[in-house]
């Protein structure tokens, strides 16, 4: 059984079309089709069948694609073992990172990468909805993803999931807002004000829906924009409230907004690193994942972050006295 043909089957399972598979493997679509036909003949079972203008994997095809992924993982682990003897490794690591994670992790991570001679780390902007992160692992070694439903939302997809950080989501208010005098806020406090939100399908919108359910009232989504810095600017200008991740927003409060913790609603996001299991088994990728975990820990344990909730509440008390 030719391992290259198994790889083609696995890529087809991940990418969905012969054309996308051919492009990923740098071969022609006809070569992909021929290799799949040969593999079917070798195994004596139908792996691929026509579906409309394209193809889809049969039950046997899906099972073999899963087996191919396991073979790739085993081979990657074998290569990682050899690395410890011949010191060979992957010199270029390509990652997909959404903006606020890049702001938190990338500066420190690049310092860590510099300590390893010959290692090159490339970060690329990607910020799909939650359902879109897993698919990016077909094109990137590591994908940083986030969800308000916990790390487990990324399980069950055949990927290595590495939890990095749990980050609270706070309500951002204009500095002179009437609610700024309160140390904490609840859904009933905030639901009646205009909201500067994110488009439907982005994680923070799920929290706003929880606020609506808790308060029994619908929020006014005055603006929807998928950029946290734009949301900060809109809140600072007095246009409404927003949900912002604490660790990336707390140091920007001098721009004209304040943060207040939200109680009674699950308001935090889980940040994880995703990778295909065979990619995650590589020596270099294991090293970079360890660096990401260390950087995430450093962010969470930084004095200005660890004490953020206390400072937010203290600021509310000071605003009330004034």
């Amino acid at each position: 059984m030719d391992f290259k043909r198994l790889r083609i089957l696995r890529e087809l399972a991940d990418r969905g079309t012969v054309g996308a598979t051919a492009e990923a493997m740098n071969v022609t679509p006809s070569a992909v089709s021929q290799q799949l036909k040969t593999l079917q003949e070798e195994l004596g079972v139908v792996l691929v069948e026509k579906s409309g203008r394209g193809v889809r994997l049969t039950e046997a095809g899906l099972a073999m694609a899963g087996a191919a992924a396991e073979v790739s993982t085993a081979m990657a682990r074998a290569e990682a073992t050899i690395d410890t003897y011949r010191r060979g490794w992957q010199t270029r690591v390509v990652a997909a990172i959404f903006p606020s994670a890049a702001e938190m992790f990338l500066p420190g991570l690049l310092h860590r990468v510099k300590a390893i001679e010959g290692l090159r780390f490339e970060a690329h902007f990607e910020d799909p909805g939650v359902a879109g992160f897993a698919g990016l692992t077909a094109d990137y070694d590591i994908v940083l993803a986030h969800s308000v439903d916990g790390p487990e939302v990324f399980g069950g997809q055949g990927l290595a999931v590495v939890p990095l950080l749990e980050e609270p989501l706070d309500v951002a208010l204009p500095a002179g807002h009437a609610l700024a005098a309160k140390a904490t806020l609840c859904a009933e406090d905030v639901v009646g004000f205009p909201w500067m939100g994110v488009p439907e399908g982005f994680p923070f919108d799920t929290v706003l829906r929880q606020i609506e359910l808790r308060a029994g009232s619908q929020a006014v989504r005055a603006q929807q924009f998928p950029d946290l810095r734009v949301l900060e600017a809109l809140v600072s200008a007095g246009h409404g409230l927003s949900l912002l991740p604490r660790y990336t927003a707390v140091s920007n409060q001098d721009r004209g907004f304040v943060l207040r913790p939200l109680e009674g609603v699950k308001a935090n996001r889980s940040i994880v690193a995703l990778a295909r299991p065979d990619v995650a088994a590589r020596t270099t990728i294991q090293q970079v994942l360890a660096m990401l975990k260390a950087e995430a820990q450093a962010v969470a344990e930084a004095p200005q972050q660890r004490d953020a909730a206390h400072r937010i509440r203290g600021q509310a008390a000071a605003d009330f006295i004034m």
Side-chain angles (χ1 to χ4, degrees):
M1 190 182 305
D2 192 299
F3 177 60
K4 181 179 179 181
R5 295 185 187 118
L6 287 176
R7 282 189 57 211
I8 290 175
L9 185 67
R10 186 262 182 92
E11 290 292 338
L12 179 60
D14 284 349
R15 297 178 185 274
T17 68
V18 170
T21 300
E23 182 177 355
M25 302 198 71
N26 198 28
V27 297
T28 65
S30 60
V32 169
S33 298
Q34 183 58 47
Q35 291 295 321
L36 291 173
K37 180 181 178 181
T38 302
L39 182 60
Q40 288 186 140
E41 292 172 351
E42 287 178 345
L43 298 177
V45 295
V46 177
L47 302 174
V48 179
E49 60 187 8
K50 288 186 177 181
S51 177
R53 295 185 177 182
V55 298
R56 65 182 178 188
L57 270 63
T58 64
E59 182 178 345
L62 290 170
M64 285 303 299
E70 293 175 3
V71 171
S72 293
T73 300
M75 291 189 67
R77 286 175 179 156
E79 290 173 357
T81 300
I82 292 298
D83 281 349
T84 61
Y85 296 97
R86 58 180 170 86
R87 299 182 63 83
W89 71 343
Q90 179 178 337
T91 58
R92 176 174 172 261
V93 174
V94 184
I97 306 182
F98 58 92
S100 54
E103 182 179 347
M104 276 193 291
F105 301 145
L106 196 54
L109 178 64
L110 292 180
H111 282 303
R112 296 176 189 273
V113 169
K114 284 181 181 178
I116 301 180
E117 185 178 356
L119 178 59
R120 178 185 172 191
F121 183 87
E122 292 182 11
H124 295 259
F125 168 83
E126 295 281 0
D127 194 14
V130 174
F133 283 112
L136 295 175
T137 59
D139 297 308
Y140 294 96
D141 297 311
I142 297 171
V143 174
L144 264 65
H146 61 129
S147 166
V148 297
D149 296 317
E152 57 274 9
V153 76
F154 298 106
Q157 302 184 63
L159 299 175
V161 181
V162 180
L164 297 176
L165 187 67
E166 292 292 322
E167 182 175 23
L169 302 179
D170 292 323
V171 178
L173 315 158
H177 197 278
L179 292 177
K182 301 190 70 170
T184 62
L185 301 173
C186 65
E188 291 79 6
D189 291 329
V190 301
V191 74
F193 293 93
W195 278 85
M196 306 295 107
V198 294
E200 185 177 352
F202 280 73
F204 294 4
D205 191 56
T206 302
V207 178
L208 185 52
R209 292 180 186 277
Q210 292 178 30
I211 290 173
E212 292 174 325
L213 289 172
R214 181 80 177 185
S217 178
Q218 189 169 0
V220 177
R221 291 166 170 78
Q223 297 292 331
Q224 293 178 298
F225 204 88
D227 186 295
L228 298 182
R229 295 296 161 258
V230 173
L231 298 181
E232 288 180 2
L234 292 174
V235 172
S236 297
H239 294 297
L241 315 185
S242 188
L243 284 165
L244 294 177
R246 179 180 298 170
Y247 296 160
T248 49
V250 71
S251 60
N252 295 330
Q253 291 182 96
D254 58 353
R255 297 178 181 178
F257 69 91
V258 297
L259 298 175
R260 296 292 178 263
L262 184 63
E263 295 187 342
V265 174
K266 184 178 181 293
N268 67 284
R269 65 171 176 175
S270 301
I271 300 177
V272 303
L274 306 176
R276 286 181 168 184
D278 52 318
V279 175
R282 299 173 188 167
T283 300
T284 310
I285 303 302
Q286 290 176 3
Q287 288 183 301
V288 173
L289 289 173
M291 293 179 197
L292 276 167
K293 290 173 69 175
E295 192 60 32
Q297 184 176 357
V299 167
E301 293 182 353
Q304 66 270 28
Q305 306 294 15
R306 187 179 60 245
D307 301 330
H310 299 293
R311 291 191 291 109
I312 289 169
R313 289 182 172 89
Q315 182 184 24
D319 290 343
F320 180 74
I321 292 172
M322 292 173 64

